[in-house]
Amino acid sequence: MRVLSVNPLLLLLSIFFAMQVLASTSPAQVDSSESNLEAVARLRSEADQAMRQRNYELSLKKYTEAIQRGSTRATVAYNAACSAAKMARRDDAFRFLDLAVDFGWLDLELLNQDADLESLRADPRWQQLKKDLIISIEQNNVLWKSPAFNSKYQQNLSDAEKAAGLSKLWAEVKFNFVNFDQVPTLDWDAEFVAFMPKVLKTQSTLEYYRLLEQFVAKLNDAHTNVYLPPNLSSKFNARPALKTELIEDQVIVTKVLDQAVKALGIEVGQELIAINDQPVHRYADQFVKPFVAASTPQDRATRVYGDALLRGPVTDSVSLELKRIDGQTFNVTVARTLGVSQIARFFSRPAAFELKMLQGNIAYVKLNSFSSSAALKQFQSSFSKIEKADALILDLRSNGGGNSGVGWNILGHLTDEPFATTRWHMYQYRPTLRAWGRHPQVKQESAAGMFSVNREHHYDKPVAMLIGPRTFSAAEDMVVAFDILDRGPIIGQPSGGSTGQPLMFDLPGGGRARVCTKHDRYADGTKFVGVGVQPDRLVKPTVEDFRSGIDRTLETAKETLLEQIEN
């Protein structure tokens, strides 16, 4: 976790001033059974809702109460300042802005552009606030964003750069990684010591980065990865123009994306038996799995057999042995034609949102990505058609995540009451505790947030949700909230089992890495990271169904909803 150096006395004084804002206001009535974490989460949610409704007096009251109860979120203090500024309470606004900076808020661009703060800009304190913020940003950049590690790409980095990159990767994981409990027997320091001589023996930057991939793969976390420099990615991440998937422990060709590949006799539905004269599973175990970062067995199988299996240098062809549907085998050599420039041509990304009406007046909505607000905007613009359906299917089987708020906003149309999202924790490193012989990693908990609903457009008919191993990250956050809502059955296979907030940073030679810093659970504490969200009805695809063009998961959802409609 990145923490700014803060003067403890100034921080305490800032909190004291913030608490004085409500000195003349009666205290909130709090349920005695409500924990402090739950109270803070509730107050934040109520404050956000009031601010959206432009009830700034109420939002200021709720934000301040959240701070009084221990919230140190910079956004809470900043939003309190905005609420105060909208009411021309400048003294309070500046106190909360100072507090936001003390809490680690560093967004100078937002400060300059936010219309909510317009009433403060003519005040003499505004320029001093900006100076203080700029100093904090500069200090943060020197400590955490130094360009010292950002060396340019070379075909073979120096030993110093290689050692520095491994050391940075080790340190970022050591102090920021939140999921060490997922690998309880892993000695991270011992791995660091073991890998140092290996990286110093590498003869190229590609070989070096492949070792870094192996290093972080030992953490078993799909939100903790190493990314090759662009110069290498375009050369090494090449693939033949076909797709494969593990179905019933068989590697099946699921798409052929180029006529040249089809001309070799490769067809959808065939089984891949061997790669470069090695049985496919042995090849995967030796050449693919050690480099793949994954959180669960189902996540690993998807990545190994669906994404990385045929990855390699664009200059090298790959020898394949395949079995036709009639049982006959044949061998072909396929070029890895899909470099970065070709992938866009052959691997067209599906639209973030797809809608079609199924038999029985069931609306089928595919939510393929939350990387932008497109899925939410199109769901809302299509709501007049969706609300006429007698039932709704939400398909998240191809959704790799993005912004959790997109999914939660869509869920807000399916209920008339605020609903719980995930609870989470991170760790704060406190070196003084270590000096005193105590555990220095202190868990900082955050209760599940409460998400507001869209009462204007509310769908109250039967709903089913489809999930699978590619349901990942922010998509899983939506599935968890849907499960808590008990809004309908979840059908399919366990999800990928990985979400959280990754921390991105640069490595020598132009590569990058990320480390997962946030661990999410159900609101009641139930675990799904490292496990996957479990469906109410488990439906696994079969080779026979795939070859017959039957989507068994979708068919099960349709049957389930039709029964509900009829009853």
Side-chain angles (χ1 to χ4, degrees), residues 125-137:
R125 291 170 289 186
W126 180 258
Q127 294 304 320
Q128 185 59 50
L129 172 71
K130 289 180 63 175
K131 289 179 182 178
D132 292 343
L133 181 57
I134 290 171
I135 290 173
S136 293
I137 292 171

Side-chain angles (χ1 to χ4, degrees), residues 4 106 134 136-147:
L4 289 177
L106 298 173
I134 290 171
S136 293
I137 292 171
E138 290 174 347
Q139 291 175 340
N140 179 74
N141 289 342
V142 168
L143 188 58
W144 299 111
K145 295 183 179 181
S146 169

Side-chain angles (χ1 to χ4, degrees), residues 45 86 104 106 117 165 218 224 241 265 280 295 368 413 424 521:
S45 177
K86 293 296 287 187
L106 298 173
L117 302 177
K218 291 180 177 293
T224 303
V280 64
S295 296
N368 295 316
H413 293 76
W424 56 273
R521 293 176 181 261

Side-chain angles (χ1 to χ4, degrees), residues 501-563:
Q501 178 58 57
L503 167 66
M504 301 290 299
F505 52 91
D506 296 323
L507 292 172
R512 303 201 78 197
R514 67 176 187 172
V515 172
C516 188
T517 66
K518 173 173 167 280
H519 181 93
D520 289 75
R521 293 176 181 261
Y522 274 74
D524 64 1
T526 299
K527 182 178 179 179
F528 70 94
V529 170
V531 180
V533 180
Q534 303 301 304
D536 299 308
R537 296 190 63 177
L538 178 64
V539 182
K540 292 185 176 181
T542 66
V543 175
E544 181 180 355
D545 280 346
F546 176 78
R547 288 172 174 168
S548 301
I550 298 172
D551 186 339
R552 188 65 61 187
T553 304
L554 178 57
E555 292 301 316
T556 301
K558 287 162 58 177
E559 293 169 5
T560 301
L561 292 176
L562 286 172
E563 288 178 7

Side-chain angles (χ1 to χ4, degrees), residues 326-509:
D326 63 9
Q328 294 184 346
T329 62
F330 68 103
N331 295 277
V332 293
T333 298
V334 186
R336 289 190 176 104
T337 56
L338 299 186
V340 171
S341 60
Q342 289 82 18
I343 286 174
R345 174 184 168 194
F346 290 110
F347 284 78
S348 57
R349 291 179 179 270
F353 173 92
E354 300 176 45
L355 168 65
K356 63 180 178 181
M357 299 305 298
L358 306 179
Q359 186 176 3
N361 196 31
I362 297 174
Y364 172 66
V365 172
K366 286 196 71 177
L367 301 171
N368 295 316
S369 174
F370 293 155
S371 60
S372 72
S373 60
L376 172 61
K377 291 179 179 178
Q378 292 179 59
F379 183 91
Q380 292 172 332
S381 65
S382 303
F383 191 82
S384 59
K385 185 174 183 179
I386 293 171
E387 67 179 345
K388 295 175 184 177
D390 292 324
L392 170 64
I393 295 173
L394 296 175
D395 189 347
L396 277 76
R397 289 176 293 174
S398 299
N399 194 319
N403 184 342
S404 301
V406 175
W408 291 336
N409 270 291
I410 291 173
L411 276 188
H413 293 76
L414 307 183
T415 178
D416 58 359
E417 294 293 338
F419 57 90
T421 59
T422 56
R423 65 181 299 176
W424 56 273
H425 70 260
M426 62 179 176
Y427 289 103
Q428 290 184 316
Y429 178 69
R430 301 183 180 182
T432 303
L433 296 183
R434 184 178 172 195
W436 289 340
R438 293 158 59 184
H439 198 308
Q441 293 281 62
V442 179
K443 183 184 290 187
Q444 182 174 329
E445 296 269 6
S446 179
M450 296 300 297
F451 208 84
S452 303
V453 303
N454 189 310
R455 298 184 187 277
E456 183 180 356
H457 300 293
H458 175 214
Y459 186 87
D460 60 1
K461 300 169 190 176
V463 184
M465 181 172 280
L466 312 186
I467 66 171
R470 289 189 181 275
T471 308
F472 187 76
S473 194
E476 291 182 278
D477 295 338
M478 180 184 185
V479 179
V480 168
F482 182 85
D483 196 13
I484 294 170
L485 268 174
D486 198 22
R487 187 62 179 83
I490 299 174
I491 300 170
Q493 301 177 83
S495 65
S498 182
T499 191
Q501 178 58 57
L503 167 66
M504 301 290 299
F505 52 91
D506 296 323
L507 292 172

Side-chain angles (χ1 to χ4, degrees), residues 63-84:
Y63 284 130
T64 309
E65 288 175 357
I67 293 170
Q68 286 177 329
R69 293 196 67 120
S71 174
T72 57
R73 285 196 183 185
T75 52
V76 171
Y78 179 81
N79 287 338
C82 290
S83 300

